[in-house]
Amino acid sequence: MMSLNNKTILLGITGGIAAYKSPELVRQLIKQGAKVKVVMTDAATHFVTPTTLQAVSGNPVFISQWDARIPNGMPHIELSRDVDAILIAPVSADFMAKLSLGLADDLLSTLCLARGHESNGVLSDCPLLITPSMNRQMWEHVATQRSVEKLLQDQVILLGPASGDQACGEVGMGRMLEPVEICEALIAFFQPKLLQGKKVLITAGPTYEPIDPVRGLTNRSSGKMGFAIARAALEAGATVHLIAGPVSLETPLAYSGKITRVNVMSAADMHAAVMAHPDCDLFFSVAAVADWRVNHIAEQKIKKQSASDIPAFDLVQNPDILLEFAKKSVNQHPFCIGFAAETQNLIDHGKKKLLAKNIPLLIANHGPSTFGEDHNQITLIDAQGESHFGPADKISLARDVIREVSKRL
Ligand code: CTP
């Protein structure tokens, strides 16, 4: 899926060593369907050549405000009018200071001051996103932090910086985000803010029910769909709390906020973590919760006594977290969404679960073909009927789910 289709991005490049990553960033943006126009400062040309950027972007590169290639001689006006966002990557400490003061002494700074997006004859604000890159001392300097504060007040969107190894050999805050991360952040920025101000609770992944200190009962859920829902909800402007079973996934990031996360192991832990969060507007119960646990967990590893020895386990049922949470909801608040991974009769089982759990929406999918995969097909089932989405990657499906849920709120 090309998430930046029909978007034109003006990529500004300023003088910093991270400019060597700019051609890769252009490639990433184009891969996502964007049209990219590049404007460089003079200093940037010391780190990467305009020829390279022209080749990868497929468009002429602009550096000087006196560039005569724009017919009316006003590149600082004309270059921003048809763009959906200006992204400056890397942005130097010097350029941030200039932007915060409104200085306009070269093409890129003048263009940022004069920026406007024109559509059907109406001129609106053209968003400005910046990705800082500098030595940690420069980043932490009070003057740079003053620029940051002013730029945030001026609605400039800051992506990063990250912490880590720096080109100068020091380690700390000030690294530019990687091109893939910048591209992801830009995609997130363009998502409609359908859940702005909403509090979203999500469970994801499997649970693990111990038998003894080294063995347990679990299932094949990877948590990818739940984590994709968390990311899509964050992108849509929600405050997200994620309760994750044992998975090896990083907490998703978006440019505009942070997901709070707790890790749990068993269904009982997940149950307690969910019940501790009654104050939410939406509950996505994506986790594949184990239905049973072993009644008495052995304190030591169970040993094989003989060749024919087969241990017997006394299983008890786990609480149904979604059922219990939905029961507490008065007048469908919070709005609860169930997920069902089936092996057969998807729609039938899905409809039964919708009724049994008394929830307004259930999302069914075929378990074995999706566990651990990056792609899926889902069926949304509610009182009105069924709708199918996919096959598609899980983040695209998660965005579809957010859109469909927001219609039902
Ligand atoms: N669920 C839950 N707590 C449980 C079992 C399931 O919260 N103990 C939730 C899941 O997170 C999911 C929905 O209920 O949103 C359906 O889960 P699923 O395992 O498909 O269904 P079950 O109700 O467990 O029924 P069965 O195992 O018989 O298919």
Side-chain angles (χ1 to χ4, degrees):
M1 151 127 176
M2 309 241 278
S3 305
L4 293 174
N5 259 344
N6 305 320
K7 300 285 183 215
T8 302
I9 309 299
L10 189 146
L11 176 65
I13 307 175
T14 72
I17 183 64
Y20 82 89
K21 295 182 179 173
S22 301
E24 176 56 22
L25 176 57
V26 173
R27 284 191 59 243
Q28 294 287 341
L29 296 170
I30 290 175
K31 205 166 128 194
Q32 290 296 334
K35 182 178 166 205
V36 182
K37 302 201 293 190
V38 177
V39 175
M40 301 172 77
T41 63
D42 215 18
T45 63
H46 290 265
F47 296 93
V48 60
T49 72
T51 316
T52 305
L53 288 151
Q54 179 168 354
V56 289
S57 70
N59 282 310
V61 171
F62 291 84
I63 300 163
S64 161
Q65 68 263 50
W66 314 118
D67 197 312
R69 284 174 294 174
I70 299 287
N72 68 2
M74 289 189 247
H76 65 293
I77 307 286
E78 298 305 315
L79 286 174
S80 83
R81 290 301 180 260
D82 66 341
V83 307
D84 296 286
I86 298 175
L87 168 68
I88 308 184
V91 69
S92 62
D94 171 67
F95 201 82
M96 283 170 63
K98 265 161 77 167
L99 276 179
S100 74
L101 293 172
L103 299 184
D105 63 354
D106 64 3
L107 176 58
L108 188 57
S109 54
T110 315
L111 186 150
C112 286
L113 207 58
R115 72 186 188 274
H117 173 80
E118 201 169 296
S119 177
N120 299 326
V122 180
L123 193 64
S124 58
D125 278 350
C126 177
L128 175 58
L129 300 96
I130 58 172
T131 64
S133 165
M134 65 198 73
N135 165 270
R136 68 189 172 101
Q137 289 288 101
M138 292 172 81
W139 172 253
E140 281 159 18
H141 197 284
V142 61
T144 308
Q145 290 307 310
R146 206 163 40 228
S147 306
V148 169
E149 206 174 302
K150 278 196 176 165
L151 290 168
L152 292 175
Q153 277 168 15
D154 291 348
Q155 317 303 322
V156 174
I157 294 154
L158 200 71
L159 307 178
S163 179
D165 291 339
Q166 304 207 307
C168 54
E170 295 180 10
V171 180
M173 203 64 165
R175 266 178 71 90
M176 188 172 85
L177 298 183
E178 294 301 327
V180 170
E181 294 171 313
I182 298 172
C183 197
E184 293 290 339
L186 196 62
I187 293 168
F189 167 77
F190 282 120
Q191 297 311 308
K193 305 299 166 222
L194 298 169
L195 297 184
Q196 193 68 51
K198 300 278 185 220
K199 286 184 231 156
V200 171
L201 178 64
I202 301 169
T203 61
T207 63
Y208 178 89
E209 311 299 327
I211 293 172
D212 67 16
V214 297
R215 305 183 182 95
L217 301 173
T218 188
N219 59 65
R220 291 178 51 207
S221 166
S222 64
K224 283 184 180 176
M225 194 65 210
F227 275 57
I229 297 277
R231 179 172 149 196
L234 186 68
E235 289 174 356
T239 307
V240 180
H241 185 65
L242 176 63
I243 299 169
V247 295
S248 51
L249 296 173
E250 296 283 336
T251 309
L253 287 173
Y255 74 99
S256 63
K258 231 172 130 216
I259 294 174
T260 53
R261 169 177 176 180
V262 289
N263 293 328
V264 296
M265 288 298 270
S266 67
D269 298 341
M270 189 173 274
H271 176 262
V274 169
M275 296 309 154
H277 262 86
D279 178 28
C280 63
D281 301 301
L282 291 120
F283 174 43
F284 290 90
S285 184
V286 198
V289 186
D291 287 318
W292 303 283
R293 69 177 182 278
V294 175
N295 201 11
H296 299 290
I297 303 165
E299 273 181 32
Q300 303 301 332
K301 187 182 176 196
I302 302 168
K303 304 303 282 181
K304 261 198 312 281
Q305 304 299 340
S306 67
S308 58
D309 181 36
I310 298 169
F313 298 112
D314 184 15
L315 294 178
V316 289
Q317 221 175 78
N318 276 325
D320 190 317
I321 305 168
L322 174 58
L323 180 75
E324 206 179 301
F325 199 80
K327 233 182 230 168
K328 285 181 160 197
S329 328
V330 186
N331 297 330
Q332 304 284 20
H333 190 87
F335 190 91
C336 295
I337 302 108
F339 282 70
E342 305 292 346
T343 55
Q344 57 174 347
N345 305 332
L346 203 75
I347 308 296
D348 270 4
H349 286 312
K351 282 181 178 166
K352 280 183 193 140
K353 280 183 193 174
L354 185 78
L355 293 176
K357 305 208 184 218
N358 194 23
I359 51 175
L361 181 62
L362 185 115
I363 298 174
N365 63 178
H366 184 260
S369 59
T370 179
F371 287 141
E373 300 295 326
D374 291 325
H375 289 74
N376 197 3
Q377 296 186 56
I378 55 174
T379 303
L380 271 59
I381 304 173
D382 65 6
Q384 274 63 54
E386 297 126 49
S387 39
H388 305 276
F389 295 86
D393 58 279
K394 287 184 177 173
I395 183 65
S396 304
L397 289 173
R399 290 181 187 134
D400 290 336
V401 167
I402 297 297
R403 194 185 56 248
E404 289 301 315
V405 167
S406 72
K407 283 185 202 162
R408 292 164 168 82
L409 292 179

